Every structure is written in structure tokens, then in C-alpha cells.
Amino acid sequence: MLAGLRSPRLRTRRSGPRGGLAVCVPSAEAMAAVAGGGTAPGSGSGSGSGGARAATTNILAQLRHGQLSGRGLTRGAQITEALLKERDKQAKWNGIPLLLQKLYEHSHPNSDFSQCQSILKEISPLLSMEAMVYVTEDRKAAQESSFPNTYTFDLFGGVDLLVEILMRPTLITQKKKQKISDDLIKDCLSILYNTCICTEGVTRRLAERNDFVLFLFTLMTNKKTFLQTATLIEDILGVKKEMIQLDDIPNLASLVSSFDQQQLANFCRILAVTISELDTGSDDKHTLLAKNAQQKKNLGPSRAEINQATLLNIPGFIERLCKLATRKVSETTGTSSFLQELEEWYTWLDNALVLDALMRVANEEAEQSSTESSDESGLANTSTRTQLPQSMKIMHEIMYKLEVLYVLCVLLMGRQRNQVHKMIAEFRLIPGLNNLFDKLIWRKHSASALVLHGHNQNCDCSPDITLKIQFLRLLQSFSDHHENKYLLLNSQELNELSAISHKANIPEVDAVVNTDRSLVCDGKRGLLTRLLQVMKKEPAESSFRFWQARAVESFLRGTTSYADQMFLLKRGLLEHILYCIVDSECKSRDVLQSYFDLLGELMKFNIDAFKRFNKYINTDEKFQIFLNQINSSLVDSNMLVRCITLSLDRFENQSDAKVAEVLSECRLLSYMSQMSMRMSFLFRLINIIHVQTLTQENVSCLNTSLVILMLARRKEKLPFYLRTLQQMEYTEKYPGFILNNFHSLLRFWQQHYLNKDKDSTCLENSSCISFTYWKETVSILLSPDRTSPCAIVSYIDEAYMDIDRDFSEE
């Protein structure tokens, strides 16, 4: 059976087999136990069996050396049967080498494989038992356990022999090719998978055989062997050093079209590995220097990008994914009984492939002849087997939707983003998800937290939690800087946006006017409104807060829209954010950053938002708590600082009486209007970043510091700001350390943002300052003319000048 039950992944990247579970490495003691009946090689016991142990160890050493060098002993079939029998009991090999020798003899090129399956039936339980130990034991204990049977199976050439058996029909040139039964294929695949779980290096060895990897895809055309094949392929691709190219898979389009919806959903697990960039660390933690250097080396599209394009060229692929993502769950099962039953299964049913296998067990009891089937039925005891299909219907759907939403999310962030957007809008993905929101995506949980085996209640690995986060990530990718974001509303809500614009006497946003009303959400509330409702009810410690804030913020990103802001302000979003920041005194850095970013987009240039802010933050004590949260980490809050600075500058240039009133009363605007406060922010923003430590996360600090200086340049105060920075350096008794650093940062800025592939519209849209003005300001600041009052070098004494250092791209 397939013993490896893997947790559903919330994937930004695939980094290894089994979704993050460590490959179980037998310890030295475990290997010694395989070799010598429990004693490490060469340790000796003082008994008369020492010679036997030494001989056994010698056999193993020769085998391993032969497999590594290709000379001498390379497989157990080369050792005499008599010697294997003699050593088997002492070495505790459980007859595996002898069984492999028999398998070798009955699988020669002219064999009909008739005896092979019965031999594999003897081997299979020995390996599946160890695999079950791995997946059901506590993770730490499992990693420290020994798995002598799978190690022995691999050591004596079992893995290579099964690969030969599977691929033999493709290697024979005879007109009448050998036919391998489905059951034999299933047994071979299951044994290979269980060996991969327990023995280090097996998965990587298989991954290095590109011919075998591509051959496995041909086995997916057979529904009877699909589950075993998909499981093995996923693990192999998870450790493969070089990503496969989907174009290399024989007849990929016809293969995909042959899948039913369940198979397609499981195939998405495999596709996820092929369309995500290989894991080289978290995006936010990877320095921009290293990324830029890598981009210079890789001039063409990556394999992941090529694979994404390949998928989009498969007829009907995106449409089928949208149907899978939005299909409704059968409601024949009562919610309460389902949740009660699910808790019984939840500790180990955490993989859609395993769920499929068990569903088959429950529905096809007549086919319980194989060991695999009997193993599975042993898991599903007789008292609950009849409940199994009911218990799994919703879990099945959650698993499928997880995989599909992940693939759609990756495609939405790829080079063909606009093409994907057009297709998923046409196939009504957003209205479909809106209809599932209450009954599946954000359905109520039972009172007791459902926790996967080996995890705790705070873990984000459960299918329910992962589905929610994947859903929020999809919304974030869908809304971000794209006019299709208005599909998250229903017709009445779109009318509300129009009414807000008319009341404010401002033009309607073109994207609102042009939105196809037949593609928007149905019902009383759109998806954005539903999200706001659950967001406001979320417990303070919830891990969803970060993702919810990110999803809503993405709706506001881009060119600032007063109507969009007012739509959310009318629904109490600003007060909710301030409550979380101030009254609950949120401690999570990630959540705080997402709230600050959202607050910045919500308040930018909106005088009504600042008025609401002042009404909520109505005491000095509250305001001080708010400032403390901002100052606790400028990396997290700098986008809000940028918003306040830009808004203050705009308001100061307006003559409206309402604006003047808010300017005089609002604590936040009054605070930022003080020159000393702006200089303090500028000094710290430059001081907390350096070229070598710039990442996608903290480069915004550099852009915020630039915004402050661009606004100063507009008012012809740039020399004053630079002179003040120089004075602050001397106060800190470290002349030149800020301005030298800033000079290096701006040189990097030019390299990074003036790249022909770099999209500068985000900087323009977020600041309402033309990119030309950005470039001009940086050029003026970097001028080498020491007589220029706007050049940084004019404020660095010769003795402290350090501006010509090359950037390290190591």
C-alpha cells in the first residue's frame, strides 16, 4: 500500500519530498543492525559469532562499494544463494536478499513475469510496515528510528531491479512487446515509494534518471495505476535538482485531457512542482543584489515560466481548473455528523491521494485481493468503513481545491498574467468561489480543534486552514494592480462605487464602468464584503489576520481610488485596523506590517480617513501607543509613514476649509508636520538598510526616504535636509556614516530600477510622482559636483568619503 500520508502544503515553493517532511536517514547504529544483527561493524561482541558478523559486514561493504564504483558486486543476485541463506538469519535480513534473487531470475527479458507478483507480495509487507511507522510515529521519533528492511532492499539492488521491470517493455524492440499487469505495476510503484520514504538517497537517485521520470508519466494514462504513479512522481520531482520541462512529457495535452476531474486535481500536485521557481530561500529573505546577479546570468525565461506557458496552451486546461475550484460539495452529509466522523480520521488522512485510495477501498470491496487493498482495509476498520465515503466528501473537495487554487495562484503571478486573468474571469472563478465561501471555504469548525498527526493546534498545516490561506493568496494575486479586481463585488456594490464618485463630484474609475456585470459576484454580498465580515470577527491570535489584510490591501493597490477607499471605510475597516494595532496591541510583526500597509493604502490622500482616524485615536495615550507601534519597527511601518508624508504634502497645498480643519485637529498630521519628526524618520530609514542587506521586504525603506527628499526638493528644501543629516551624523559622533550609506543605496537604486525589465509603474502609482522625477532626484543627489548644494558628496568631508566601493554580489 501507499504508506506515505503527507500533509497538504501551503506552498510558495517546493523544497523537498513529502512537503517538508525530512527524509528519514538510518543512523549508523541502524545500518550496523542491518549489517550485523544489531552490532556496529567492527565493534565485536566477544562471542563466537564475531566471524559471521565480520563476513556479513564484508558483503555489505562490497555491495555498497560496487554500487558506488560500478565494479565488483553491484547487486545481491551476484551472491550465491547458499551464502545468502547462511548469513540471512544472523544479519536479520528477513529473507529480502533471497527474494530479490528469485525476483531477478523470474524477470529476465524473455520472462512472462508470472512469478514476479507473488514474490513482491512477500516483500511488500516488510517495507510497508516500516513506511507506516515513519508516517504514524511522532516525527522526531520517526527520524531517529531505523528502517532495516527498506535499507536492505535497496542495498541488494531492489530499487534498480524494479525500475528495470517497469521499463522493460519500452526497451524491447520486438514487435510483440511484453505486457506487465496493472497489479504488478502497482506493487512495484508502491514498494519504490515506501523505500523512498525510509531510505536516504533513493528518491534522489530516481530523480537523476530522467528517462524513468518521463516514463512514469506514461503510466498515468491508466486509471488503475494513477494513484501510485502520481504519488511517486511528486516525491521524485520534489528533490530533482533540475526542473523537468513539461514539453518533454510524451503527449502531454492528450494525457491531461484523459484525466477525470479527480485525477486532474491530483495532477495539480505534480504541476505545482514544475511551475514554481526552485526553492533558493524565501523571496523576502533573498537579497536584491543576489537576485539581480542571478537575473544577469539567466537571460531567457526560466523553466518554470516555460512550463507555465505550456500549460496555458493545453486546450480547456484553465476552464477545467475553474470548474474544479468552484464545484459544490454534495450536501448529503449533515455538517455535525461529518465533523464528528472527520475527527476520527483526521489524525492521518491528510493527503488527497490517500483519500482517493481509501474511497476505492470502501466502494470496491470486491477488489480486496491484493496486499495493498488488505493493508488499506486494515486501516479502515469494519465499524467505520461504511461511514468512510461520507466522512471524506468534504475533505476530498478541500484537498482538491487546495491543489487547484495553488496552481491558479502561481499562474496569476506569472508572465502570462493578463491571459490567465482574462480566462478565469470568463470562466467565472470569482463568483463560483463566492458561492462556496460560507459552506466550504470559511465554514464553521467544531468546538475541538482538528489537528493533523504530528502537529499542534497552532500549526497551519491542516487542510481547512491551508485552504483558507490559499484562497486568500489567490484573492491577493487576483486583485493586485489589475482592473479585474472589481469582479470581487456584486452589481449593487458596483453601483455603490459609482454613487460615491458622483457624490464626491469626481469621475468614475474607468475599470468600474467597463466591468462586465455578467462576470461579477452573485447574491447579497460580493467576495470582498464577505472577507471584510470574517476579518472583523477573527480572533486576535489568528494566523489568518496577516493574509486577510494582504488580500484587502491588494484591492486598494495601484492608482489611489477615493471611491474604493470610501467603500471600505463605510464598512468600518479603519476602526477595525486601529483596534487591532492600538487596543489589542498586536505583537506579531507580520500582522502589524500587513495592517500598516493596509492602513496606508486606505488613508492615502483621503481627508475623510484622517478625520476618522482622529475620531478613533482621541486621546494622547492612544496616540502614543500608535506611535510606539510605528517606531517599534520602521521596516514594518514605513509604507504608512510614506502615506502620511505624501498626504500631508497634498493637503498643505489645498485651500479647502474641510481639509484645513482636519489639518489643524488631526494628531497624526500635526505630528508629521514637524520638521524634527520627518528628519528623525529619514535618518532612521537610511540607517536600518544597507546595499548588502536589501531585500524585497525592506527596499521600501529606501523608496520612502526618497519620497521624503523628493517632496523636500519640490519645496526647494533639499539642501536643508542634507545639511541636517550631516549635523545628525556629527551628533552621533560618526561623520559620514549615514550619507556614505545613502550614496551607495542610491547607486544601487539606479542599477535596480533603471533596468529595462523593471516595472516602474508601481512607484508612480503609489506616490503619484512621475518616475522621471524619481530618476532626476536620484541623479541630482548622486552628482559628483562637490559645489552642488543638492549633491550628497557636498556634505561628506574628504576625510570620511567612502562612496566608490563596488557592490558585492556574493
Side-chain angles (χ1 to χ4, degrees):
M1 63 163 288
L2 291 176
L5 314 181
R6 291 153 297 170
S7 300
R9 267 102 50 210
L10 172 63
R11 294 157 301 207
T12 55
R13 300 287 190 271
R14 294 296 182 101
S15 57
R18 293 164 293 283
L21 296 182
V23 177
C24 203
V25 182
S27 63
E29 293 79 11
M31 293 182 181
V34 176
T39 306
S43 63
S45 63
S47 69
S49 62
R53 290 197 179 106
T56 301
T57 304
N58 189 41
I59 292 172
L60 299 187
Q62 288 185 56
L63 266 177
R64 183 54 79 206
H65 179 268
Q67 290 168 354
L68 293 173
S69 66
R71 296 189 298 272
L73 282 178
T74 56
R75 61 171 60 192
Q78 294 171 278
I79 305 172
T80 64
E81 183 178 346
L83 182 58
L84 290 177
K85 283 182 177 179
E86 179 187 343
R87 303 299 181 208
D88 187 84
K89 187 174 181 181
Q90 179 68 43
K92 297 184 179 178
W93 287 337
N94 293 318
I96 291 174
L98 287 164
L99 288 168
L100 285 174
Q101 195 170 63
K102 285 173 62 180
L103 184 63
Y104 181 77
E105 292 168 358
H106 289 90
S107 62
H108 55 80
N110 296 319
S111 166
D112 61 0
F113 299 120
S114 58
Q115 301 298 314
C116 291
Q117 195 165 355
S118 61
I119 299 169
L120 290 179
K121 293 300 178 191
E122 294 184 62
I123 296 174
S124 183
L126 297 171
L127 308 190
S128 63
M129 177 177 61
E130 289 185 350
M132 282 303 296
V133 169
Y134 176 84
V135 298
T136 56
E137 276 190 1
D138 178 73
R139 291 292 172 234
K140 183 179 179 183
Q143 290 168 22
E144 293 172 354
S145 298
S146 60
F147 301 100
N149 290 340
T150 48
Y151 179 77
T152 303
F153 178 80
D154 178 43
L155 186 65
F156 280 85
V159 170
D160 294 332
L161 181 55
L162 292 191
V163 171
E164 282 181 27
I165 291 172
L166 285 170
M167 294 190 69
R168 185 159 293 153
T170 68
L171 304 175
I172 294 177
T173 56
Q174 300 169 2
K175 288 184 179 180
K176 187 178 181 182
K177 294 190 176 182
Q178 288 172 300
K179 173 70 175 173
I180 301 181
S181 70
D182 293 340
D183 287 336
L184 179 57
I185 292 173
K186 285 162 60 177
D187 286 340
C188 288
L189 293 171
S190 295
I191 290 173
L192 284 176
Y193 176 70
N194 290 336
T195 308
C196 286
I197 288 178
C198 298
T199 305
E200 181 187 21
V202 172
T203 315
R204 293 191 184 279
R205 285 206 332 264
L206 293 176
E208 289 168 4
R209 292 199 53 174
N210 217 45
D211 59 338
F212 180 63
V213 175
L214 294 176
F215 164 76
L216 285 176
F217 281 95
T218 66
L219 298 181
M220 298 185 83
T221 57
N222 187 338
K223 196 165 186 175
K224 291 183 179 179
T225 60
F226 177 88
L227 294 176
Q228 288 80 3
T229 309
T231 309
L232 184 59
I233 289 176
E234 186 193 355
D235 271 16
I236 289 174
L237 295 186
V239 301
K240 194 168 175 58
K241 289 182 180 179
E242 191 175 62
M243 186 180 292
I244 68 162
Q245 210 154 311
L246 292 178
D247 276 337
D248 292 338
I249 298 173
N251 305 312
L252 177 65
S254 59
L255 174 68
V256 172
S257 64
S258 72
F259 292 151
D260 60 30
Q261 289 295 75
Q262 280 71 21
Q263 288 175 315
L264 181 61
N266 281 320
F267 190 58
C268 283
R269 289 176 69 90
I270 294 169
L271 292 179
V273 189
T274 69
I275 61 175
S276 305
E277 297 295 346
L278 290 174
D279 189 5
T280 53
S282 169
D283 272 353
D284 288 343
K285 303 299 184 287
H286 226 50
T287 67
L288 294 182
L289 265 182
K291 284 187 174 182
N292 290 350
Q294 190 64 35
Q295 286 174 356
K296 289 178 183 177
K297 294 178 184 177
N298 304 330
L299 298 177
S302 67
R303 282 207 168 182
E305 290 169 333
I306 294 171
N307 287 339
Q308 291 172 23
T310 299
L311 288 181
L312 292 176
N313 289 330
I314 297 176
F317 177 71
I318 296 297
E319 182 177 10
R320 291 186 69 189
L321 290 193
C322 290
K323 285 181 178 178
L324 256 174
T326 58
R327 72 176 182 183
K328 294 182 179 179
V329 185
S330 172
E331 296 183 35
T332 56
T333 307
T335 305
S336 59
S337 63
F338 158 72
L339 287 170
Q340 183 180 356
E341 292 168 8
L342 182 58
E343 289 187 54
E344 299 172 13
W345 298 101
Y346 213 93
T347 56
W348 56 277
L349 292 184
D350 56 359
N351 182 343
L353 294 167
V354 176
L355 288 170
D356 277 335
L358 289 170
M359 286 287 278
R360 185 193 297 176
V361 172
N363 293 331
E364 302 176 13
E365 295 207 18
E367 299 182 9
Q368 298 293 312
S369 57
S370 69
T371 303
E372 175 189 347
S373 301
S374 62
D375 281 349
E376 288 169 347
S377 61
L379 290 169
N381 60 61
T382 53
S383 64
T384 55
R385 185 186 295 176
T386 54
Q387 303 173 25
L388 194 55
Q390 279 191 326
S391 302
M392 289 186 206
K393 277 184 179 177
I394 296 180
M395 185 54 61
H396 242 134
E397 212 53 47
I398 286 174
M399 293 294 189
Y400 292 151
K401 285 176 176 17
L402 258 177
E403 311 304 340
V404 171
L405 291 182
Y406 178 79
V407 170
L408 288 172
C409 190
V410 173
L411 293 175
L412 269 174
M413 296 185 291
R415 287 196 178 196
Q416 289 82 21
R417 185 186 186 213
N418 288 332
Q419 180 186 352
V420 178
H421 247 291
K422 183 178 179 182
M423 295 168 80
I424 63 177
E426 178 187 344
F427 300 131
R428 292 179 54 83
L429 174 69
I430 297 303
L433 292 176
N434 187 46
N435 293 334
L436 289 175
F437 189 85
D438 291 330
K439 291 181 179 176
L440 182 73
I441 298 172
W442 227 273
R443 62 193 179 88
K444 292 181 181 179
H445 299 285
S446 60
S448 61
L450 303 178
V451 182
L452 292 178
H453 179 82
H455 299 263
N456 58 51
Q457 291 186 358
N458 298 318
C459 182
D460 286 351
C461 294
S462 78
D464 258 334
I465 290 175
T466 311
L467 177 67
K468 288 179 172 62
I469 294 176
Q470 197 58 64
F471 164 76
L472 293 171
R473 290 182 68 188
L474 178 79
L475 291 193
Q476 179 185 354
S477 303
F478 182 81
S479 302
D480 195 16
H481 293 90
H482 203 283
E483 59 187 22
N484 274 356
K485 67 182 183 179
Y486 292 109
L487 297 181
L488 295 176
L489 310 180
N490 64 19
S491 292
Q492 292 80 9
E493 291 163 345
L494 284 173
N495 292 338
E496 184 181 338
L497 284 181
S498 300
I500 292 170
S501 297
H502 292 150
K503 184 177 179 181
N505 197 27
I506 57 176
E508 281 190 74
V509 176
D510 288 340
V512 174
V513 177
N514 297 332
T515 295
D516 185 344
R517 298 294 180 107
S518 68
L519 301 178
V520 300
C521 292
D522 309 311
K524 295 180 179 179
R525 294 183 297 275
L527 205 46
L528 180 63
T529 304
R530 290 180 187 274
L531 177 56
L532 289 174
Q533 288 179 325
V534 297
M535 184 178 180
K536 290 196 282 188
K537 295 176 183 176
E538 208 61 49
E541 69 284 356
S542 171
S543 60
F544 296 133
R545 283 187 166 202
F546 169 82
W547 297 104
Q548 290 167 337
R550 280 280 176 256
V552 177
E553 183 216 343
S554 69
F555 180 81
L556 290 170
R557 274 194 213 141
T559 305
T560 302
S561 165
Y562 175 80
D564 292 355
Q565 291 172 325
M566 292 307 299
F567 180 85
L568 297 173
L569 286 169
K570 288 170 65 176
R571 284 158 175 77
L573 180 59
L574 183 137
E575 289 78 10
H576 168 71
I577 297 170
L578 292 177
Y579 169 81
C580 294
I581 293 174
V582 176
D583 296 307
S584 70
E585 295 194 53
C586 175
K587 297 293 189 292
S588 166
R589 299 309 325 166
D590 287 338
V591 172
L592 264 180
Q593 184 184 46
S594 66
Y595 280 162
F596 283 134
D597 289 351
L598 174 55
L599 194 60
E601 293 294 340
L602 188 62
M603 295 179 68
K604 192 190 302 175
F605 306 132
N606 192 313
I607 197 68
D608 296 290
F610 280 91
K611 189 173 182 179
R612 281 174 175 255
F613 175 94
N614 212 47
K615 184 177 180 181
Y616 190 92
I617 306 296
N618 53 8
T619 66
D620 290 340
E621 181 185 5
K622 276 188 172 184
F623 186 59
Q624 192 56 53
I625 293 173
F626 183 76
L627 289 181
N628 290 343
Q629 291 280 48
I630 286 180
N631 288 314
S632 63
S633 176
L634 270 183
V635 171
D636 299 325
S637 62
N638 83 88
M639 294 298 289
L640 177 61
V641 172
R642 190 189 305 182
C643 148
I644 301 166
T645 306
L646 286 164
S647 300
L648 175 65
D649 182 76
R650 177 174 291 191
F651 296 155
E652 286 177 339
N653 292 318
Q654 292 177 347
S655 55
D656 186 273
K658 178 183 176 183
V659 172
E661 180 187 356
V662 176
L663 267 175
S664 63
E665 294 177 356
C666 180
R667 286 179 170 83
L668 191 56
L669 292 172
S670 298
Y671 177 82
M672 192 58 76
S673 67
Q674 301 173 52
M675 173 64 72
S676 60
M677 293 299 102
R678 290 204 296 277
M679 289 306 308
S680 173
F681 278 123
L682 179 61
F683 187 89
R684 285 183 291 152
L685 284 167
I686 298 172
N687 192 33
I688 59 179
I689 50 175
H690 305 277
V691 171
Q692 285 73 19
T693 59
L694 278 178
T695 65
Q696 199 64 48
E697 180 183 8
N698 64 24
V699 72
S700 57
C701 294
L702 174 56
N703 289 323
T704 298
S705 65
L706 259 177
V707 164
I708 294 173
L709 291 176
M710 283 190 292
L711 298 180
R713 181 186 163 214
R714 277 182 179 174
K715 296 178 180 179
E716 299 183 348
K717 291 184 178 180
L718 188 53
F720 174 80
Y721 275 67
L722 293 174
R723 190 163 50 252
T724 305
L725 283 176
Q726 182 188 41
Q727 292 168 358
M728 294 172 81
E729 285 180 331
Y730 275 90
T731 303
E732 294 286 333
K733 295 183 171 34
Y734 198 167
F737 82 106
I738 286 292
L739 291 174
N740 276 314
N741 183 45
F742 192 43
H743 194 280
S744 295
L745 288 166
L746 293 181
R747 283 170 56 216
F748 172 81
W749 188 95
Q750 285 184 323
Q751 287 186 13
H752 187 68
Y753 284 102
L754 301 187
N755 186 307
K756 63 179 181 179
D757 295 328
K758 201 69 183 175
D759 185 5
S760 60
T761 55
C762 290
L763 290 179
E764 286 189 323
N765 290 337
S766 67
S767 63
C768 289
I769 300 173
S770 73
F771 190 62
T772 300
Y773 198 79
W774 284 78
K775 290 189 293 183
E776 288 175 357
T777 304
V778 172
S779 295
I780 289 171
L781 288 165
L782 289 179
S783 170
D785 183 3
R786 291 182 62 81
T787 64
S788 169
C790 294
I792 292 174
V793 294
S794 301
Y795 300 89
I796 307 175
D797 292 341
E798 287 275 9
Y800 306 114
M801 189 82 71
D802 184 22
I803 62 172
D804 298 321
R805 185 181 302 172
D806 288 335
F807 302 142
S808 170
E809 294 181 351
E810 298 299 323

